[in-house]
Amino acid sequence: MIYLDNSATTKPYDDVLQSYITVAQNYFGNPSSLHALGGEAERLLSQSRSVIAGLLGVKHTEIVFTSGGTEGNNLAIKGTAIALRSRGRHIITTAVEHASVSEAFKQLETLGFEVTYVPVDENGAVSVQSIEQALRHDTVLVSIIHVNNETGAVQPIAEIGRLLRKHPKVRFHTDHVQGVGKVPLAFYDANIDLCTISGHKFHGVKGTGILYVREGVLLDPILSGGQQESQYRAGTENLPGIVAMAKALRMTLEKQENKIRHLNEMKQALLSFFGSMPNVILNTPNASAPHIVNVSFPGLKPEVIVHALEERDIFVSTKSACSSKAKEVSHVLLEMGRGREAAESAIRISLSVENTMSEIQQFQQIVQEVIPKLYEVTR
Ligand SMILES: Cc1ncc(COP(=O)(O)O)c(C=O)c1O
């Protein structure tokens, strides 16, 4: 099997699963319980919080555990908008966000918020000037994806953060789900107030995530209930998942530079391979993350390519996993002005540090066999 759908999810590292099992078996107490079992679970929880805070370069009090990227984005966006609604009802995002951001904004529109969707250029990037122009006296939130999940386009988060330093009443959120371990981001330097991370995108287990909430930032909880997670996120913590995520994050961030270099080598090999194939449109922007390659095969349906490769034990994706079953064209590629033909025939190849150059070579060989056959049958 050659697994090249790592932006949808990654395979948990063996050591990560081992930690999960150990904690689930031996530390099953509820961290909120008063007795000894609760106490030791609570100690493990705060240890994990400190480890994660250290790895991210922030304070342990700024870490809120969630169930993943979707929840983190919803909590950051709706939590901020609702907490600051008496100050203003204008919020800003981009036209190329993940559904967990764009749908949260749409929901807020139905509740009376006004949204500016900032467009992107042909490389999938927003400009700092367009954010500046969108700002109003009643803007309370700017939410910008860091690394696009379909194309790998990287947004100028640090520059936008610098701009927003001049607007201290505006909260700045970034969806860093695809960036962890691939495109480093310094939260304090980039003036980020809220940052979403998801454990299963870096070899942790599903149902785990982190929302970084800068000290002093006001947020209304979206789940009503207990007092867990500084009252930002009610519900018994997923302790085995959290401990496993701390381990996965440590494993991901150690020797990060070497890992990024390895990812980049595989990405460059794929880009030159696809660049040499006839009829292929490369959608990967110049400034993009090292783990995502997006290409279109005009005239072929992406789901047909995905299934044809699957028959050869290769796993790639159409667009983002959560919307890949909806057979619409890629709105991200349309927003980049790539045209309908490219937007309705794109596949995404997403890498992990566990992939090897030899897998990439095998993949290329199989693509060379499979694609011409698909073109033959569609002729
Ligand atoms: C950019 C981005 N944000 C958010 C999410 C949602 O994360 P989760 O699957 O943990 O809910 C994803 C998942 O694909 C993503 O790629």
Side-chain angles (χ1 to χ4, degrees):
M1 172 176 85
I2 302 180
Y3 183 73
L4 299 172
D5 195 14
N6 290 282
S7 287
T9 196
T10 52
K11 182 172 183 259
Y13 287 134
D14 289 346
D15 284 359
V16 164
L17 283 180
Q18 209 44 58
S19 297
Y20 184 95
I21 292 167
T22 305
V23 175
Q25 279 177 337
N26 302 319
Y27 298 89
F28 59 85
N30 186 324
S32 300
S33 291
L34 290 180
H35 51 65
L37 290 185
E40 61 187 16
E42 166 58 26
R43 272 191 295 282
L44 211 46
L45 181 66
S46 40
Q47 249 174 39
S48 305
R49 200 183 302 281
S50 298
V51 166
I52 287 173
L55 289 166
L56 297 177
V58 301
K59 297 182 189 139
H60 68 96
T61 47
E62 296 176 318
I63 297 294
V64 174
F65 291 122
T66 65
S67 66
T70 299
E71 187 190 330
N73 284 338
N74 273 268
L75 175 56
I77 294 162
K78 294 177 191 167
T80 301
I82 293 167
L84 301 183
R85 67 192 181 285
S86 59
R87 189 193 290 166
R89 286 177 171 246
H90 178 239
I91 50 185
I92 298 172
T93 190
T94 77
V96 293
E97 297 292 318
H98 184 267
S100 56
V101 168
S102 55
E103 293 299 318
F105 272 83
K106 276 192 210 156
Q107 199 180 357
L108 287 169
E109 275 181 301
T110 68
L111 298 174
F113 287 86
E114 255 189 89
V115 180
T116 301
Y117 296 94
V118 176
V120 294
D121 63 16
E122 67 279 8
N123 279 309
V126 291
S127 72
V128 181
Q129 292 95 302
S130 58
I131 305 285
E132 188 163 25
Q133 280 159 12
L135 288 169
R136 303 190 332 202
H137 70 280
D138 58 343
T139 306
V140 290
L141 173 70
V142 173
S143 177
I144 311 283
I145 191 169
H146 181 209
V147 172
N148 187 272
N149 46 295
E150 285 189 38
T151 63
V154 180
Q155 302 297 345
I157 296 298
E159 289 85 342
I160 297 168
R162 212 170 298 135
L163 161 74
L164 293 177
R165 255 186 230 287
K166 294 184 260 161
H167 303 267
K169 286 191 172 165
V170 179
R171 292 285 162 255
F172 183 28
H173 166 247
T174 187
D175 173 352
H176 184 42
V177 167
Q178 293 291 344
V180 176
K182 287 99 179 184
V183 186
L185 186 61
F187 297 1
Y188 290 159
D189 289 352
N191 190 34
I192 292 165
D193 294 309
L194 298 142
C195 180
T196 303
I197 289 174
S198 171
H200 73 104
K201 306 289 186 181
F202 51 89
H203 304 276
V205 296
K206 288 156 193 67
T208 59
I210 299 158
L211 181 66
Y212 159 73
V213 182
R214 190 170 59 78
E215 198 167 56
V217 164
L218 272 183
L219 205 57
D220 256 29
I222 52 174
L223 296 177
S224 308
Q227 315 254 306
Q228 294 93 343
E229 298 304 298
S230 316
Q231 301 189 30
Y232 288 134
R233 202 275 183 178
T236 303
E237 294 89 349
N238 172 6
L239 186 62
I242 290 167
V243 173
M245 177 167 58
K247 177 156 242 165
L249 189 62
R250 187 167 53 69
M251 291 173 73
T252 296
L253 297 184
E254 68 194 2
K255 304 202 184 103
Q256 190 180 198
E257 266 177 40
N258 294 346
K259 290 174 180 162
I260 292 176
R261 197 172 312 122
H262 173 51
L263 290 171
N264 257 322
E265 280 165 11
M266 293 188 287
K267 174 186 165 191
Q268 289 313 324
L270 284 169
L271 287 177
S272 40
F273 165 71
F274 285 121
S276 70
M277 275 183 89
N279 300 327
V280 175
I281 303 173
L282 297 182
N283 301 314
T284 308
N286 297 337
S288 63
H291 67 304
I292 298 179
V293 169
N294 188 309
V295 287
S296 297
F297 296 91
L300 293 184
K301 291 200 174 83
E303 59 274 19
V304 171
I305 305 175
V306 167
H307 292 309
L309 289 173
E310 181 187 1
E311 279 177 21
R312 306 291 300 269
D313 223 10
I314 290 180
F315 297 87
V316 299
S317 170
T318 52
K319 31 190 181 162
S320 68
C322 41
S323 54
S324 60
K325 288 195 179 123
K327 293 203 167 87
E328 311 142 2
V329 297
S330 160
H331 81 282
V332 173
L333 294 179
L334 285 181
E335 289 292 338
M336 287 165 68
R338 294 288 157 131
R340 217 172 163 82
E341 198 175 43
E344 62 192 11
S345 61
I347 64 161
R348 176 184 73 181
I349 296 118
S350 51
L351 306 164
S352 137
V353 287
E354 296 223 301
N355 288 123
T356 62
M357 207 47 131
S358 133
E359 286 182 324
I360 298 302
Q361 282 153 2
Q362 285 176 59
F363 167 71
Q364 292 172 357
Q365 220 159 23
I366 290 169
V367 167
Q368 265 167 334
E369 293 164 25
V370 166
I371 296 290
K373 279 194 196 136
L374 291 180
Y375 272 120
E376 260 169 45
V377 292
T378 54
R379 211 178 281 144

